[in-house]
Amino acid sequence: MVKKANFIYLIDLINPYLPDATGTSKEETVRLIITHASNGKYAPMPAPSTLNGFAATGISRAAAKKILKLTNKETSSLEEYFSQIGEDQLTRIANKLKKDGISTDVYRGRVPALLVKLFNDVFDKAASRKNKRKQKIPTQKSEDKITSVKSVSDEMFASVFHQVNVSEMNVVKNRNLIHAFVLKPELLPFSYKNLRELVLSNITNYAVARGVEKTDVSGLKAGRVLRNYEKSGVPSNLLGELLTYVFLEHEENALKLYTRAEISETSRTIDSEGIYLKSDGEKTQLILGASQLNNNLKNAVDNVVDKLSKFRNNQSDEMVLATDIVDTTILNAQPGEEKSQAIIQSMIPNESDFEEVVSYGLFIGYQFKTEQDLDNCTQEEAKKRCRQVVNNDLHQAISQLGRAIQQHHWQKSSFYVYLLPFTKAEEDSHSIMEDLIGV
């Protein structure tokens, strides 16, 4: 099957091979391409979450226009940069381009020039796209396509969270990312004002079925649904479930199919806290959401792993395909029949893109703990020390999760993990939801 050499494809193609890359994160790959394509003139560099978004959905119109404005294609250093890739790696890239039908006559020596042409074509195409902000609001008919529209803007997200670091877990053999975030302004005790506003603005999107028009009435219904759901005793921490949704949607462009809270109104339940669909143009994954908030990071990781181990697909003696986990009757009952059918159709395994093994999206909230003095120092020094602690927490979580993944033989699954410290994780999270929905 001939594939399209879009931005997503090209980033995946060169991701492991760039000469000055320190790892294999797609965020770094996108950053390096932007840097070299613009001859180092692109500034300021977009936030890591934005770069990850480019890798998942394609480069934005604004970024492409800026790159083209900053560089002359004839004098660009991009071809020289690609020429520094090792010979064996260039051969692998050439073979991949041939296999995917991008170029039938490419060989190792021609790869750098061809990559430059392909990236320039992508930048030209992206830059010439119509500005979506100037277009009319899409109708329901146009939403029947399988797309995820972020309910949290990049500006709102950036006003709440600072990403300290993002990494990959080497034990996981499929795509994976583990993010460490901290609440702005990274000073203790943490301020929850902006977090409350973000959560409040997403209660309806989380608790009401996809396709329902978001109005004041549906907002009132969402509050009632969540209050009843909380009183049922099913959720261990409602804020964690909602933030799993927020991070999966914003960082992975994952589409919410349905959440456990949402279907609780019909006296139904599921193992996970929510079911999501992630498509990056090449692969489509079914993601099961799970969360944990605990005053101890180690316990939080242990508890979320314990949750995963009790999912039906992990209790079965035989392989449970991702398609077997989705309840199509729930999808069919949601408004927008055409979109539901498109979603169901996209999950039929074929030779192209749907992954049979389920993936996981995890939110882990924990209590910030440190022996460092965060009082007897300047604000900037306190922020720096706070980030150092959170970065250390990230490495602890990677090590602990890695051992658990190997123990449970989950290496073939993708994992998308989000860490966030609280002043007091258990107490503060319950207090936030009590303020917002009255539970």
Side-chain angles (χ1 to χ4, degrees):
M1 184 181 71
V2 177
K3 297 187 179 181
K4 294 181 179 179
N6 56 25
F7 191 76
I8 302 164
Y9 173 87
L10 293 174
I11 292 300
D12 284 340
L13 177 69
I14 64 173
N15 181 47
Y17 306 129
L18 294 186
D20 52 346
T22 59
T24 58
S25 78
K26 291 184 182 179
E27 175 223 323
E28 182 185 35
T29 301
V30 174
R31 176 170 51 78
L32 290 171
I33 290 300
I34 291 176
T35 298
H36 289 282
S38 64
N39 288 333
K41 298 175 184 177
Y42 197 112
M45 185 62 62
S49 59
T50 302
L51 296 175
N52 278 320
F54 291 167
T57 62
I59 195 159
S60 70
R61 173 177 177 267
K65 289 183 71 175
K66 187 172 180 179
I67 290 171
L68 294 174
K69 184 177 179 180
L70 290 171
T71 187
N72 184 324
K73 294 178 184 178
E74 303 301 323
T75 61
S76 172
S77 63
L78 204 52
E79 182 173 346
E80 180 183 347
Y81 175 60
F82 288 140
S83 298
Q84 297 173 29
I85 298 174
E87 292 185 354
D88 290 343
Q89 287 84 1
L90 288 172
T91 300
R92 292 192 190 102
I93 293 173
N95 291 339
K96 175 70 172 169
L97 290 168
K98 288 180 183 177
K99 179 181 177 182
D100 293 340
I102 305 300
S103 175
T104 57
D105 60 351
V106 65
Y107 53 90
R108 184 176 67 198
R110 290 191 59 198
V111 166
L114 178 58
L115 287 176
V116 172
K117 179 183 182 303
L118 292 173
F119 270 108
N120 283 335
D121 288 346
V122 166
F123 296 147
D124 285 333
K125 186 175 181 180
S128 62
R129 283 198 306 256
K130 290 183 178 180
N131 190 343
K132 292 182 179 180
R133 294 183 181 179
K134 295 181 180 179
Q135 295 175 1
K136 295 181 179 180
I137 297 174
T139 62
Q140 178 64 39
K141 186 173 182 180
S142 69
E143 289 177 349
D144 290 335
K145 297 179 181 179
I146 304 174
T147 56
S148 176
V149 179
K150 292 182 180 180
S151 54
V152 178
S153 68
D154 289 343
E155 291 76 16
M156 174 177 276
F157 191 87
S159 73
V160 180
F161 305 109
H162 171 78
Q163 182 168 262
V164 175
N165 200 355
V166 59
S167 186
E168 294 182 330
M169 295 179 285
N170 292 331
V171 301
V172 178
K173 303 309 176 186
N174 209 353
R175 294 169 295 173
N176 72 97
L177 286 172
I178 178 167
H179 305 255
F181 289 95
V182 65
L183 292 169
K184 290 184 175 180
E186 304 126 90
L187 295 170
L188 269 74
F190 292 121
S191 168
Y192 298 122
K193 177 179 179 293
N194 290 342
L195 179 63
R196 285 190 185 93
E197 292 178 0
L198 181 146
V199 171
L200 182 61
S201 68
N202 277 274
I203 284 176
T204 305
N205 293 315
Y206 174 71
V208 176
R210 171 189 49 77
V212 172
E213 184 180 356
K214 305 306 185 285
T215 63
D216 290 342
V217 174
S218 61
L220 292 172
K221 178 185 177 183
R224 176 176 56 78
V225 168
L226 291 184
R227 282 192 294 274
N228 292 340
Y229 177 56
E230 175 72 15
K231 291 175 182 176
S232 72
V234 173
S236 59
N237 195 293
L238 194 52
L239 180 63
E241 295 194 14
L242 203 149
L243 288 176
T244 304
Y245 156 70
V246 168
F247 280 109
L248 278 173
E249 182 193 76
H250 197 275
E251 293 297 309
E252 310 308 328
N253 294 287
L255 174 70
K256 183 195 81 170
L257 300 187
Y258 50 86
T259 62
R260 189 167 61 185
E262 173 190 318
I263 65 172
S264 65
E265 277 286 277
T266 58
S267 300
R268 306 176 77 162
T269 191
I270 51 178
D271 289 333
S272 66
E273 296 165 6
I275 297 182
Y276 304 83
L277 201 64
K278 171 181 166 66
S279 179
D280 62 4
E282 293 295 322
K283 291 289 184 180
T284 300
Q285 298 177 317
L286 191 75
I287 302 177
L288 304 184
S291 67
Q292 181 63 207
L293 280 126
N294 193 286
N295 285 342
N296 180 281
L297 175 56
K298 181 180 183 301
N299 291 343
V301 174
D302 284 342
N303 291 346
V304 80
V305 168
D306 185 59
K307 280 187 178 182
L308 297 189
S309 69
K310 293 177 181 177
F311 286 179
R312 179 172 65 89
N313 60 301
N314 292 323
Q315 289 283 315
S316 176
D317 291 331
E318 59 182 270
M319 177 70 182
V320 178
L321 298 177
T323 47
D324 297 330
I325 294 174
V326 177
D327 190 331
T328 55
T329 62
I330 296 175
L331 287 180
N332 281 324
Q334 294 178 332
E337 181 181 353
E338 289 185 26
K339 186 166 185 176
S340 294
Q341 289 303 316
I343 290 171
I344 294 169
Q345 188 68 26
S346 74
M347 293 187 294
I348 298 175
N350 55 49
E351 63 181 22
S352 58
D353 63 0
F354 191 78
E355 293 190 355
E356 290 88 353
V357 179
V358 76
S359 300
Y360 300 100
L362 312 179
F363 172 80
I364 299 173
Y366 61 98
Q367 183 170 325
F368 182 92
K369 295 179 181 179
T370 182
E371 295 181 356
Q372 292 195 49
D373 186 355
L374 300 183
D375 295 320
N376 190 30
C377 59
T378 65
Q379 291 184 32
E380 289 308 312
E381 182 61 29
K383 290 181 181 182
K384 182 179 178 181
R385 293 176 185 179
C386 175
R387 293 168 191 155
Q388 288 173 342
V389 172
V390 174
N391 194 48
N392 292 338
D393 294 339
L394 171 68
H395 292 295
Q396 176 187 330
I398 289 173
S399 177
Q400 191 178 345
L401 268 174
R403 291 193 298 270
I405 288 167
Q406 287 180 311
Q407 178 185 347
H408 290 281
H409 310 292
W410 293 334
Q411 295 97 318
K412 292 188 291 296
S413 293
S414 281
F415 281 80
Y416 306 103
V417 187
Y418 315 98
L419 304 178
L420 183 70
F422 291 74
T423 308
K424 294 180 179 179
E426 297 173 36
E427 297 87 339
D428 295 349
S429 56
H430 285 299
S431 176
I432 289 170
M433 294 310 297
E434 183 176 2
D435 289 345
L436 295 180
I437 64 173
V439 294

